[in-house]
Each structure stands twice: as structure tokens, then as C-alpha cells.
């Protein structure tokens, strides 16, 4: 430890990248800033760390306060701290990312933020601070994770077909997947189960609706 | 942003996990603390962030000051911030990890720290603060990376045989590798080249000595 504790301290914040899949697009929740700097600009939900809370708790709290989103899969992404990233003072931000099912999107109603809105990643507005760098890294991490993990199940609503699940994996990873291999992989994980109901869509033959098994769901969130 | 800037700020530090492979063991560089808390205990090299430096610069500077190690592959690991991790005050630590070639180990001579010493990961002393948690995560990250990346080349001295390289990969990943497949993989990367010299060891037939190609080495460090 090279310096004394009198040394000036930076501010510490968390910023959260919340992904969901809506209308066949990977989407991101943004908050319109009500104050300077970047007043009126879109930014990631986030805020200052309290001295009496762990960093992840801060991220979960800000997610609830600003976006009305609760109980989701939260993972630390990286810490951003370039000297001039905030015009007010030195601010170190610990970034997290979260995935929420498309049918939980309504949760954002609870927000206390000026304005919260979902944007497709392919069509984001200019972002405040270095938030576009944070988003870029989050998208890379998500895309890499999707290809070898069950993280994608976090996106799924209460009931879904295996085609829905494959589409979500393809959208979030940006890769086309082989239908037979994907189904084999998913079912081999034993993390989803049949709901007993089927979905009829247009001329297609009715497709079985699945749900994520509850215990495994908890495992994934852990 | 939920809170005003008057809100008290935590201290921010960096801690660095420096790996090398020595005597067929994955080793870690530790510093013996010269002051309280944990005076006399072993800890990761690290120190406080200056307001005028980026976080990674802080990690590189502390690595040089405390361990005399310079110009190595540095990667952000994760940020540790549990409320009570430092008895003095709230301290958020951004952890990095670095790999250094066994023949650079002498560099640590330049240290300004009370005492610096290499320890095999299999035989670490009790560590100060939550540094054992940081080490555990760094080991997991390294082991995962070794299995699908060229990061391991960072461990290699100026000249090495392909058997040396395979041993380093096996030691750092904790996995046994197939000799033929490993050589095929390494040579296919076109990141190493023959030095033109051979190494004679005991009864074995002389083995070609390789070196990491300079440009690619730079790529890896990037």
C-alpha cells in the first residue's frame, strides 16, 4: 500500500446494462437523464455506491429504483475509470449486466427515473459518459457467454417453444444455430420441462410449450 | 444518478495477482506487509489509485514499485468491494492479473517493498484482507483462459522447447494435454518460431528451441 488514506478518494458508481429480447431484437434499457451533465441524454441506469452496501447490492438497488427491475441475473462486467469519463469529478464505475425475460419488461413501470425506454441494440441513441463503451463490452461478453452457457434461459418468458429459445440464442449471440443440435443440447441440460400445453401458430403444426425448471432457474441466477 | 457528490467516497486501490511458472509449479508473487493492518502478513502487490492516473496505469505502477515487474500482460480480473474487507475504511479494489516469464522473475529485485517472494499456488501462506478470494478468482480465470488462448505464451522464457510449453500449459490449466494435438495447435498459430538452436537433455534426443515471434508477442500483450 503506497499511499496514506488522506489521499483524495474518487466517487464510485455502478452502471447496469439490462438486456432483453423483444420483437426478435436484442434490446437495452436506457434512462433519460433529468440533470446535468448530459441532461436529456440517454444513459445506463446506475448510481452512487453507499458506504454501507456491497457493490452488487448497489447495482441491484439502482436497477430497482431507476428501472423497476428486480430479482434478475446480475453479473459484474468490468470497472471503468478513465480520468475524464465524468466532467464533474473523478468517478470509477463498476459495470454490471443483467438479462430479463421479455415478459418482465412491464416491471420497468415501477421506475422513479425521469424516463425509461427499451432500445434495440442495433438502433441506440447517443449515450452519456462512456456508456457506449460499457454497452460494447457487455454485448461482447453476452455474445461469448451465449455460445457455451445456459445464460440465455434468463431471457425466456414463463412459457416458450424450443424454436423461441433457439431464436433468442441466435439473436443474442448473432450466430445461426442448427435446429437439431440446439434441441439436443437444450434437452440434454435437463433445465427445461414441458408445460403440457401447445402453441398453435398459423399453418404450423402445434409446438410444445416449455418452461425453465424452477430449481435449475435458481441455480442459474446464483 | 441517485446521490449527490457530497456523498462520502470510498478509497480505491488496485491489487495485482502475478503468476509465473517456476520449477514445474504455478507461482504467485507476494509482498510482506510492513505496516498495519496485517503487518508482517503476506499480501498481493497493490496500492491506492492516484486521481491523475487510469486504473490500469495504477496497477502497472504498483507492480513496478512493489515488485519491480514491468511491461507485462495485465488484464482486469474483477472489482472487490465487500463492506468490511479493510478494517481502516471502505476500500474498493480493482484486481488485475499478470503473467510473467520465469526468466523475468529476477526483475523483482528492483522492488521497494519490504519483502517480495514467489510462492507456489499449492503452498500459499495466509493472506491479508480478502486477497485469498482474489487469488482464487484469478486462478479460475487463468485456468479457463489457458484452455483456449495463447495467453500461456506470456509465461515463456526467451527460448523453450515445445515440451516446455506444453508443461507450462498443463501446469497452469491443471489439465493433461495430448502431445501431438498440442504441438499441432501451437504450430498452427504461427506465433512461435525456431531459434535454430537445440537443447540436449540427458539421454533424450536434442529438442528444437523455439521463441515467441516478436510481433505476435506484442499482439498478445495488447
Amino acid at each position: 500500500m503506497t499511499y496514506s488514506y488522506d489521499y483524495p478518494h474518487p466517487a464510485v458508481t455502478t452502471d447496469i446494462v439490462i438486456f432483453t429480447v423483444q420483437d426478435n431484437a436484442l434490446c437495452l434499457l436506457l434512462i433519460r437523464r433529468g440533470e446535468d451533465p448530459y441532461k436529456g441524454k440517454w444513459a445506463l441506469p446506475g448510481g452512487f455506491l453507499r458506504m454501507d452496501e456491497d457493490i452488487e447490492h448497489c447495482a441491484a438497488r439502482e436497477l430497482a429504483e431507476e428501472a423497476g427491475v428486480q430479482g434478475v441475473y446480475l453479473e459484474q462486467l468490468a470497472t471503468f475509470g478513465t480520468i475524464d469519463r465524468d466532467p464533474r469529478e473523478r468517478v470509477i464505475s463498476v459495470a454490471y449486466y443483467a438479462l430479463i425475460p421479455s415478459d418482465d419488461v412491464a416491471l420497468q413501470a415501477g421506475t422513479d427515473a425521469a424516463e425509461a425506454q427499451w432500445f434495440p441494440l442495433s438502433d441506440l441513441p447517443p449515450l452519456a459518459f462512456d456508456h457506449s463503451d460499457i454497452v460494447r463490452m457487455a454485448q461482447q461478453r453476452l455474445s461469448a457467454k451465449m455460445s457455451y452457457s445456459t445464460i440465455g434461459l434468463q431471457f425466456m418468458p414463463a412459457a416458450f417453444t424450443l424454436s423461441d429459445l433457439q431464436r433468442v440464442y441466435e439473436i443474442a449471440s448473432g450466430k445461426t444455430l442448427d435446429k437439431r443440435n440446439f434441441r439436443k443440447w437444450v434437452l440434454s441440460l435437463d433445465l427445461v420441462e414441458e408445460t403440457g400445453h401447445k402453441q398453435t401458430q398459423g399453418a404450423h403444426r402445434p409446438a410444445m410449450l416449455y418452461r425453465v425448471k424452477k430449481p435449475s432457474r435458481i441455480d442459474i441466477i446464483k
Side-chain angles (χ1 to χ4, degrees), chain A:
Chain A
M1 300 293 185
T2 314
Y3 298 110
S4 92
Y5 278 74
D6 319 329
Y7 212 77
H9 294 359
V12 173
T13 62
T14 59
D15 287 304
I16 309 99
V17 182
I18 318 175
F19 291 112
T20 197
V21 173
Q22 252 180 331
D23 308 328
N24 291 329
L26 184 58
C27 298
L28 195 63
L29 187 64
L30 298 175
I31 308 289
R32 191 193 288 274
R33 288 180 56 79
E35 64 212 24
D36 280 324
Y38 300 103
K39 184 173 182 178
K41 285 261 174 295
W42 293 95
L44 296 170
F48 288 90
L49 176 71
R50 291 180 183 167
M51 299 301 272
D52 62 356
E53 68 183 350
D54 287 340
I55 310 176
E56 181 163 346
H57 176 276
C58 173
R61 180 178 52 72
E62 290 293 338
L63 203 49
E65 288 176 3
E66 296 204 326
V69 175
Q70 295 187 341
V72 297
Y73 175 93
L74 258 182
E75 183 166 313
Q76 198 185 103
L77 176 65
T79 295
F80 294 75
T82 48
I83 297 164
D84 57 359
R85 60 181 297 280
D86 191 310
R88 293 164 295 191
E89 70 165 306
R90 184 77 190 271
V91 179
I92 307 298
S93 184
V94 185
Y96 285 79
Y97 70 102
L99 317 180
I100 77 172
S102 52
D103 61 349
D104 285 358
V105 168
L107 281 175
Q108 74 177 269
T111 181
D112 71 356
E115 194 182 343
Q117 191 178 312
W118 289 97
F119 290 86
L121 239 76
S122 55
D123 186 24
L124 292 182
L127 300 185
F129 306 106
D130 55 358
H131 288 187
S132 53
D133 297 333
I134 298 176
V135 168
R136 196 173 307 114
M137 187 182 286
Q139 186 175 10
Q140 288 166 357
R141 182 78 58 90
L142 175 66
S143 158
K145 281 223 161 200
M146 290 296 284
S147 58
Y148 63 84
S149 85
T150 58
I151 192 176
L153 291 170
Q154 293 301 313
F155 280 126
M156 304 315 290
F160 52 88
T161 66
L162 292 185
S163 305
D164 296 334
L165 185 61
Q166 180 176 345
R167 199 172 309 112
V168 163
Y169 265 82
E170 291 180 332
I171 289 163
S173 68
K175 298 183 191 105
T176 310
L177 302 167
D178 173 75
K179 183 172 176 174
R180 247 181 106 257
N181 292 340
F182 181 78
R183 284 168 185 251
K184 203 182 297 174
W185 173 70
V186 169
L187 296 175
S188 72
L189 296 171
D190 194 36
L191 293 175
V192 300
E193 61 192 1
E194 298 187 352
T195 60
H197 303 289
K198 291 197 173 191
Q199 179 189 66
T200 321
Q201 225 167 18
H204 298 78
R205 133 165 168 277
M208 177 56 68
L209 284 164
Y210 289 80
R211 62 172 159 252
V212 177
K213 285 186 175 180
K214 277 285 155 281
S216 56
R217 175 115 193 183
I218 290 158
D219 294 346
I220 296 164
I221 290 167
K222 279 274 164 295

